[in-house]
Amino acid sequence: MAVERALEAGASGAKLTGAGGGGFLLVICPVERQRAVRESLAAMNELPVALDRLGSRIVLNVQRDIWG
């Protein structure tokens, strides 16, 4: 399992997020362990994120009728 691989490689924590058709593995780790954690998860795509002092915000809002 990806969470176990990340933790074994030195991650401080890992959390699966998202729902049914897709999702993300959110991993936090010390800078000195990032290379090992990245190598342990090499088969997965990496999406960089950044933390913001203002908290979460809507970046994209597309309004559409999904029932029509």
Side-chain angles (χ1 to χ4, degrees):
M1 175 185 229
V3 172
E4 291 169 348
R5 287 196 317 266
L7 294 174
E8 288 171 359
S12 302
K15 171 75 173 155
L16 288 170
T17 65
F24 296 91
L25 175 63
L26 180 63
V27 177
I28 188 166
C29 68
V31 173
E32 64 270 11
R33 300 300 306 155
Q34 285 182 3
R35 181 185 308 253
V37 171
R38 281 187 170 110
E39 289 173 358
S40 75
L41 301 173
M44 301 176 82
N45 293 328
E46 182 177 338
L47 176 65
V49 297
L51 301 180
D52 190 319
R53 292 178 189 255
L54 298 177
S56 61
R57 293 182 274 167
I58 295 173
V59 177
L60 175 65
N61 183 4
V62 178
Q63 293 181 346
R64 63 178 179 224
D65 181 10
I66 63 171
W67 304 108

